[in-house]
Amino acid sequence: MNDLVSITPLLTILVSLIATGLIIRTGEGNPNLREFWSVGAGVVKFGLVLSMLPAILDGKTLHYKLFTLMPGIEIAFKADAFSMLFALGASFLWIVTTFYSIGYMRSLNEHAQTRYFACFAVSLATTMGVAFSANLFTMFLFYEGLTIITYPLVYHKETEEAKAGARKYVIYLLGAAKVFLIAAIVLTYNLAGTLDFQKGGIFPPEVVAAHPLLLSAIFLMYLYGFAKCAVMPVHGWLPAAMVAPTPVSALLHAVAVVKTGVFTVLSVVFFVFGTGTLGALGVNTVAIAIACFTLLMASVIALSRENLKARLAFSTVSQLSYIILGAALLTPAAIVGGISHITMHAFGKITLFFCAGSIYACAHKTEISQMSGLAKKMPWTMTAFTIGAFNMIGVPLVGGFVSKWNLMLGAMEAGSVAVLGVLLASTLLNAAYFMPIVYKAFFEKEETGHHGEEIRENPFMAIPLCFTASVTFVLGLYPDFILNLAREVVK
Amino acid sequence: MFDPFYNAAGMPLLSLLMIIPAAGALLLLLPMSARAARVLALGTTLLTALFSVPLWHLFNKAASQMQFVERVTWVAVWNLEYSVGIDGISLPLVLLTVLICPVCVLASWGSITSRVRGYYACLLLMESIMLGIFVSLNLILFFFFWEAMLIPMYLLIGMWGSERGRAAAMKFLLFTLGGSIFMLVGIIALYLLGGRTFDIVALSNAGLPHAAQLWLFAAFFLGFAVKVPVVPFHGWQPDAYAEAPTCATIIMAAVLAKMGAYGFIRILFPFFPDAAWTFLEPMLILSVITVLYGAYCALAQQDLKRLIAYSSLSHMGFILLGMATLTKVGIDGSIIQMVSHGVITGGLFLWIAAMEERLKTRMLADFGGLSTAAPVSAVVFTVLALAATGFPGLSAFIGEFLILSGVFQGHYVIGAFAIFGVVLGVAYMSWACYRLILFKPATPYPPSFSDLTLREVVCLAPLLIVIVVVGVQPGILLDFMRSSVDQLVNMMQTADAVISASGVAR
C-alpha cells in the first residue's frame, strides 16, 4: 500500500537525546557551546520532520518497527498527517523557544541551566516519540517519559512553592496515568488483541456489540488517564505547573505537554475506537459535555485570576477542550477544526507565554494589575501579546479564527445548537479575560513610580515572540497547509 | 526406562549445577586467606553460571515435558528416586539464581570482613540448595532442599546481619518451619492417597478426591505462603530483609520468595486442580490484600531497606495474583514478574547497601541531593525505581501488564484494587526518589562520600541489562515458558471441566 519503511521518525527522537548527552558533557563551563547543541538539535530535528513532509503530503505513511515485545505490543513508529501536524509545530517551536530560553535564563541569571537545557531536550525527544508512535504501548511509554522528565523543569526554582507545584504536577499526571491508563490499555488489549493504531479503530464489531458499556468506560478512562489534556477535574496540574520558568510554561505547558495530552486522546478517538464506533456507542456525547463544561468553567476561572501566568494557564485548559470537543463532535469539519487548533493554539499561546516571561524578566511584573501603561515601555511585547490574544479569541485574519470557524461549522453539521452556543459564549469569555490586559497596557496611565526606570526589552526574547506572533498571522492568512494536513486525517 | 544420564546435554548438567557450588562451599572449609575465599566464591558462582549456558542453548522450546531429566533409584521400597529436570517454568528461575549469586558474591566483597570463609560457604550452599528446589522432580527431594535452605539462611542472617539479626533470624526460622510442618503432613498424606509415589510429574492431576484435595491444598498452601510471603503470613519478612546482610537480603528477595511462588505453580495447582478452582476467589483476594498491604506499609517507612522490603511484599502479591487467575497470560506474567522482581529488588538492595557502606545509615531523612553528589548512583536508582513502578519498556511493566490482563479476564473488581496497588507503588517509589535525589540533605555528606565504584557498577550492570532486555524483548523468556504454561493451564481447565460435569458441589 502506501506504507514506506523509514527510520526518520526514530531519528527525530534520537537527535535530541544525543544533544542531551552533549549538553551535559559541555555543562556550565561553556554555556555558548551548550546552547549551540540545543539550537543545533532543534534545527536538525525540524529538518528531519520536514524531510518526511513530501511523502506524507503524497498520502503515504512512514513506518519503523524497533521491537516486538509480544504479538500486538510493539515499540514502533509511524508518521502520518496527524503526527506531522503535531511534530512540525513542536519541533519548530523548540528552536524558537531555545533562543528565547537563552535570553530568559541568562537575563535572570538562573541556576542549574545545564539541567534545564538537558531536560528540555529529553522532553522534546519524548514529545516526538508520542507524535510518531504507531501503537498505544509506544505512546504510553513516551507519555510517561514526558511526565517524568518535565518534573525537574517544573521543580526548577527549588522553592517551597516550586516543590508543591511539582508535587501536584507529578501526582496528577502519574496518578491519572496509573489509575486509568494501565487498566484501559490492559482492557483494550484483552478485548482487541492488539494495541496497534488503525484508522477506524481496532475493536472488532462483535466486541463492540457485546460490551458497549465496558467500551464506553474504557474511552472515558482514556480521556481522564491522559490527564495532560487537562479536562476537568484533572486539570489541576496545569496551573500548578506554572511555577516553572516561563519558557517551560511556554513550550511545554502550552505546546508540547498539553498537546501531547490532546494528541493522545485524539489518537485514541481516531485509531483505537474509530469515529464510527464512538458514534455508535454514543459515548462521544459524554465527552462533548465534559469538554463544554471544561471550556466554560476554565474561562470563568481565568477571569478571576490576577496572576498573568495563572490566567494563561486556565486559558490553556479552556482551549484544550476545544480540541477535544472538535474530535468528540465526530463531524469532519469539527475534527478538522479541532486538529488545526492544535497548531493555531500552539503559536498563539506560546506568544502569550513568551510575553508573560518577557514582562517578568524585563519589568519583574507578574500580576495583571501592575501592567497598566506597560505598552509604552515594552511596545513589541505588548503588540505581540495583543495578537496572541486575538488568536485566542478567534479574531479573523489570525490563525485561531480558522480553527474556531471550522469548529462552529462542525457543531452546525452535528446539528448541536447547544455546542454552538457554548462556543460563542466562550469566545465572549475569552475576550473578557484577555482584552482588559491589552486595554490596561495600552490605554491606562502608568501609576507613578510603579515601573522602574530601566525597563528595556531583551532582543533575545522580543524577537522570538514577535516572530511567533507574526506566524499566527501567516497561519490565519494561509491556513490551507494546516487544513490540508488535518483533512488528510479525516479522509 | 532410559539411561539415567541421558538428556539433551549428554551429561548430568542439573546435578552439576548443584554440585559445583556445594563443592565450592566444601573447599572454603580449607584454611585460606579472606581474599582467596572471595576469589574462590566468585569463581565458583561464575563457573555455575557458565554451566547454565547449555540449558539456555539446548532447551527445546516446543516441548512441554521435563527436560535434562536425570533419574536414579534412591530407596526402591518407597518408590523414591533422585530425579531432577526442568521445564519452561523452572528454567527462568534457574537462570535467575545463577545470575544473582555472582552478583551477591561481588556485592559483599568489601562489606564482610569477619569469618569470610564461613560466609561464602553459606552463600554457595544456598545457591546449591536453591537450584535444587527449582530442579527437583521428587517431593522428598524438594522437601529436603526446602528445609535444608533454613540452615545457611539462618546463619547468614544471624551471624552476619545487623545487631538485631539474631532475633530476625529466629523469627524467619520459626515462621518457615511452622509452614513446612503442614507441608510435611501434606506430603505424607499425599503419598498414602496418591498411589505411593513422590514423583512430582506423576502426582500432577492425579485425580485425588475433592475433599482430600481441599485439605492437602490448605496444608501445602501454608508451607508456600509463608515463604512468599502472603499476608497474613508475612510477619518474618520485613525484619529478616532489613536485618540480614546485603547478599542474604538479595537472595531472600530475589530467589527465596520465588521458591514459594514456584511451589504454587509446580505443586499446589497441578496436584490439586479442583481445590485450586475452589479457592480461586479467596486466593485472588488474599493476593490483592498482600499487594495493597505491602504498598501501604511501604508508604510509611523511613528506613530505605524496610521500604523496599515492603514493596517486595507488594510485588510478591502481584506475582501470586497473576498465578491465581489460572490463565495463560496471568501465569506468563507471574513468571516474567518473578524474574523481573528478582533483578529489580536485587538491584535496589545492592544500591542501598552501597550507600549504607558510605553513610552508615539507610534512613531516608539522611539522604538527599544525590543528583549532584553522586550522579551515577542517582541515575541507577531512578532506573531501578522506574522499573519497580512498572515503567513501560522495562521488565516489570511486561509482568504487570500480563498479570492485569489475566485478572481483567473476569475479575474486574480485583483488578481495580490491584491497579490501586500500582498507584501506591508509584507513590512510595517517587517519594523515595524525590527524597534521595532532589531533596537537600539535613547534614552534608562526609568528604569521603563518593559515587558508585567500578565494582558496584559491575554488580549492577547485569541486573540493569536484564531489566531492559526483558522489558523490550520479553519473548526470550516467554518463548521458553509457552508450552509448559500452556500445558499447565490446559490441564487445569480440563480438570475444571471434569469436575463441573460431575456436578460436585464446590
Side-chain angles (χ1 to χ4, degrees):
Chain A
M1 244 181 57
N2 278 331
D3 286 357
L4 296 176
V5 174
S6 161
I7 198 172
T8 323
L10 180 60
L11 293 181
T12 63
I13 299 165
L14 291 180
V15 63
S16 47
L17 287 182
I18 295 167
T20 312
L22 293 170
I23 288 168
I24 294 173
R25 238 195 122 67
T26 310
E28 304 285 355
N30 190 348
N32 287 339
L33 181 62
R34 183 185 64 198
E35 267 76 295
F36 168 79
W37 297 126
S38 282
V39 176
V43 172
V44 174
K45 185 195 288 278
F46 183 63
L48 285 168
V49 177
L50 215 53
S51 75
M52 289 185 274
L53 198 58
I56 305 289
L57 288 176
D58 232 21
K60 294 190 171 70
T61 313
L62 306 183
H63 280 278
Y64 189 74
K65 188 190 295 175
L66 196 58
F67 294 113
T68 304
L69 282 78
M70 277 174 275
I73 304 183
E74 294 168 343
I75 297 185
F77 304 95
K78 65 127 196 1
D80 59 8
F82 187 40
S83 35
M84 286 307 279
L85 202 89
F86 180 35
L88 273 175
S91 60
F92 180 67
L93 286 173
W94 186 34
I95 308 176
V96 184
T97 311
T98 307
F99 278 112
Y100 181 86
S101 291
I102 298 170
Y104 182 90
M105 298 303 275
R106 291 193 183 172
S107 74
L108 287 176
N109 223 348
E110 284 277 356
H111 71 131
Q113 291 195 22
T114 304
R115 180 178 79 192
Y116 170 88
F117 281 104
C119 288
F120 224 122
V122 182
S123 58
L124 258 291
T126 52
T127 307
M128 290 299 122
V130 171
F132 291 122
S133 45
N135 55 50
L136 263 174
F137 173 74
T138 314
M139 189 172 260
F140 180 57
L141 194 167
F142 286 107
Y143 178 92
E144 291 271 84
L146 184 57
T147 309
I148 289 159
I149 199 65
T150 46
Y151 176 80
L153 290 172
V154 179
Y155 178 83
H156 184 85
K157 283 182 187 155
E158 298 185 14
T159 57
E160 284 306 316
E161 194 196 354
K163 280 179 197 166
R167 192 180 311 130
K168 194 166 182 187
Y169 180 78
V170 87
I171 288 174
Y172 267 78
L173 292 183
L174 276 186
K178 294 290 175 191
V179 172
F180 295 119
L181 271 188
I182 292 190
I185 293 175
V186 168
L187 286 168
T188 305
Y189 185 67
N190 276 5
L191 292 174
T194 179
L195 296 177
D196 282 341
F197 288 147
Q198 234 167 59
K199 232 169 191 175
I202 54 173
F203 292 111
E206 62 273 13
V207 170
V208 179
H211 307 283
L213 262 181
L214 185 59
L215 283 182
S216 304
I218 293 174
F219 178 71
L220 293 179
M221 282 156 84
Y222 278 122
L223 184 60
Y224 283 109
F226 287 121
K228 288 192 177 116
C229 73
V231 290
M232 283 182 178
V234 289
H235 68 287
W237 62 272
L238 185 53
M242 290 300 136
V243 294
T246 307
V248 174
S249 309
L251 183 61
L252 296 175
H253 301 123
V255 183
V257 171
V258 288
K259 295 297 152 56
T260 295
V262 288
F263 183 83
T264 47
V265 171
L266 262 55
S267 295
V268 167
V269 170
F270 299 140
F271 308 131
V272 174
F273 282 83
T275 46
T277 308
L278 273 185
L281 289 170
V283 69
N284 67 315
T285 0
V286 184
I288 291 174
I290 294 169
C292 285
F293 175 78
T294 306
L295 68 85
L296 284 181
M297 266 318 277
S299 299
V300 173
I301 298 173
L303 270 176
S304 71
R305 288 292 181 271
E306 253 303 289
N307 181 295
L308 181 58
K309 277 178 82 179
R311 189 173 284 194
L312 291 178
F314 276 101
S315 158
T316 306
V317 173
S318 151
Q319 298 282 331
L320 290 174
S321 275
Y322 278 97
I323 301 168
I324 305 281
L325 178 64
L329 280 168
L330 300 180
T331 59
I335 294 174
V336 169
I339 294 174
S340 54
H341 202 58
I342 293 181
T343 312
M344 304 304 185
H345 172 253
F347 280 90
K349 194 44 77 56
I350 203 169
T351 310
L352 290 170
F353 270 111
F354 280 171
C355 294
S358 171
I359 294 169
Y360 172 66
C362 303
H364 306 288
K365 302 279 182 288
T366 54
E367 306 302 306
I368 291 162
S369 56
Q370 304 166 338
M371 290 174 189
S372 39
L374 198 60
K376 288 199 184 63
K377 306 270 183 179
M378 310 183 73
W380 293 103
T381 303
M382 291 320 295
T383 309
F385 188 92
T386 312
I387 296 169
F390 283 165
N391 187 70
M392 291 299 114
I393 300 165
V395 174
L397 296 188
V398 189
F401 171 73
V402 178
S403 43
K404 231 173 201 180
W405 170 266
N406 275 292
L407 273 174
M408 294 197 180
L409 213 60
M412 284 195 254
E413 264 180 8
S416 176
V417 184
V419 172
L420 201 60
V422 167
L423 285 173
L424 290 172
S426 86
T427 303
L428 278 179
L429 283 168
N430 287 343
Y433 63 75
F434 274 127
M435 294 327 283
I437 309 175
V438 174
Y439 179 83
K440 217 178 231 323
F442 277 95
F443 301 114
E444 270 186 14
K445 277 234 162 54
E446 177 192 339
E447 288 162 37
T448 43
H450 203 105
H451 304 311
E453 286 306 302
E454 289 294 315
I455 298 179
R456 293 225 325 276
E457 290 178 286
N458 181 337
F460 256 108
M461 286 183 265
I463 293 170
L465 62 89
C466 288
F467 177 69
T468 51
S470 20
V471 174
T472 59
F473 263 118
V474 176
L475 288 173
L477 292 170
Y478 302 100
D480 276 354
F481 171 67
I482 301 292
L483 290 178
N484 282 341
L485 275 179
R487 286 195 188 109
E488 199 72 27
V489 182
V490 183
K491 233 185 238 169
Chain B
M1 271 173 56
F2 50 80
D3 189 6
F5 292 145
Y6 174 77
N7 56 46
M11 57 174 163
L13 199 56
L14 295 177
S15 298
L16 274 176
L17 278 185
M18 291 185 276
I19 291 167
I20 295 168
L26 276 179
L27 276 180
L28 278 170
L29 298 181
L30 303 173
M32 63 176 81
S33 71
R35 189 177 163 75
R38 291 189 185 112
V39 173
L40 177 62
L42 184 65
T44 312
T45 49
L46 286 178
L47 188 66
T48 317
L50 194 69
F51 269 84
S52 74
V53 174
L55 291 184
W56 181 283
H57 198 61
L58 298 171
F59 191 86
N60 179 2
K61 293 174 186 171
S64 60
Q65 66 268 42
M66 292 294 165
Q67 305 188 30
F68 304 101
V69 176
E70 301 161 27
R71 279 179 203 280
V72 184
T73 305
W74 188 358
V75 184
V77 213
W78 296 335
N79 226 345
L80 184 56
E81 284 179 324
Y82 166 86
S83 56
V84 293
I86 55 171
D87 67 352
I89 295 170
S90 34
L91 177 67
L93 296 169
V94 169
L95 294 176
L96 174 69
T97 312
V98 298
L99 171 78
I100 290 288
C101 284
V103 171
C104 280
V105 173
L106 261 183
S108 35
W109 203 263
S111 57
I112 299 296
T113 45
S114 66
R115 287 173 290 197
V116 179
R117 286 184 302 134
Y119 179 82
Y120 281 116
C122 283
L123 188 66
L124 291 178
L125 211 53
M126 269 311 289
E127 177 169 21
S128 173
I129 293 169
M130 293 186 297
L131 288 169
I133 286 179
F134 292 133
V135 302
S136 296
L137 289 185
N138 183 295
L139 259 187
I140 291 295
L141 199 60
F142 180 89
F143 190 71
F144 164 73
F145 285 125
W146 188 269
E147 296 291 70
M149 167 190 68
L150 290 178
I151 302 159
M153 208 61 221
Y154 176 80
L155 293 176
L156 278 174
I157 304 174
M159 292 182 67
W160 289 275
S162 59
E163 60 267 37
R164 288 172 52 212
R166 289 270 162 90
M170 189 48 80
K171 214 166 162 184
F172 165 77
L173 192 73
L174 291 179
F175 262 93
T176 319
L177 273 179
S180 43
I181 286 169
F182 290 100
M183 193 156 86
L184 181 61
V185 174
I187 290 176
I188 296 165
L190 192 61
Y191 176 71
L192 298 176
L193 287 170
R196 312 236 159 199
T197 174
F198 292 111
D199 189 82
I200 287 180
V201 178
L203 281 167
S204 299
N205 200 18
L208 297 170
H210 188 67
Q213 284 202 20
L214 294 185
W215 284 108
L216 289 171
F217 184 96
F220 278 88
F221 179 85
L222 279 176
F224 297 135
V226 168
K227 197 61 121 233
V228 171
V230 182
V231 173
F233 311 106
H234 66 285
W236 61 273
Q237 188 248 24
D239 282 337
Y241 279 26
E243 307 309 333
T246 307
C247 92
T249 312
I250 296 174
I251 286 183
M252 276 193 284
V255 187
L256 229 65
K258 310 301 175 302
M259 297 181 345
Y262 176 74
F264 275 77
I265 209 168
R266 167 66 68 232
I267 293 179
L268 198 64
F269 295 163
F271 281 22
F272 320 113
D274 300 351
W277 287 104
T278 310
F279 289 125
L280 185 74
E281 293 271 308
M283 277 198 298
L284 286 172
I285 293 169
L286 213 55
S287 6
V288 96
I289 288 175
T290 308
V291 168
L292 292 175
Y293 178 84
Y296 181 73
C297 290
L299 274 177
Q301 300 307 313
Q302 296 293 327
D303 177 341
L304 201 49
K305 212 169 172 185
R306 276 182 180 268
L307 190 148
I308 303 301
Y310 277 109
S311 93
S312 209
L313 182 61
S314 174
H315 285 129
M316 287 313 295
F318 253 106
I319 290 171
L320 210 56
L321 185 66
M323 288 180 178
T325 60
L326 299 180
T327 56
K328 282 174 193 166
V329 270
I331 294 177
D332 274 350
S334 288
I335 300 173
I336 295 267
Q337 186 75 337
M338 283 204 244
V339 174
S340 152
H341 173 252
V343 288
I344 294 171
T345 321
L348 282 167
F349 280 125
L350 260 178
W351 188 92
I352 294 169
M355 291 297 124
E356 196 183 354
E357 257 177 60
R358 292 168 169 73
L359 296 173
K360 309 287 173 235
T361 173
R362 2 173 249 252
M363 290 307 182
L364 271 173
D366 299 329
F367 282 92
L370 287 180
S371 61
T372 45
V376 176
S377 93
V379 169
V380 168
F381 186 82
T382 312
V383 173
L384 290 170
L386 281 179
T389 57
F391 189 80
L394 301 175
S395 57
F397 177 83
I398 307 292
E400 275 178 14
F401 185 90
L402 292 174
I403 290 170
L404 288 171
S405 173
V407 176
F408 275 120
Q409 289 179 11
H411 312 283
Y412 292 104
V413 181
I414 300 272
F417 279 105
I419 294 271
F420 190 60
V422 178
V423 176
L424 288 180
V426 176
Y428 62 73
M429 268 305 181
S430 49
W431 186 70
C433 243
Y434 167 77
R435 284 302 306 241
L436 291 171
I437 291 168
L438 291 173
F439 203 77
K440 292 262 181 301
T443 48
Y445 292 140
S448 61
F449 184 78
S450 61
D451 211 338
L452 294 180
T453 61
L454 184 64
R455 175 178 62 82
E456 286 156 347
V457 172
V458 169
C459 274
L460 285 160
L463 305 181
L464 292 173
I465 291 170
V466 172
I467 291 172
V468 174
V469 171
V470 174
V472 292
Q473 293 283 278
I476 47 176
L477 286 181
L478 285 170
D479 289 349
F480 284 116
M481 286 145 43
R482 189 156 299 128
S483 21
S484 299
V485 173
D486 281 0
Q487 191 207 23
L488 173 69
V489 174
N490 290 340
M491 189 264 276
M492 298 297 289
Q493 277 163 354
T494 321
D496 184 43
V498 169
I499 190 91
S500 305
S502 69
V504 175
R506 292 263 169 88

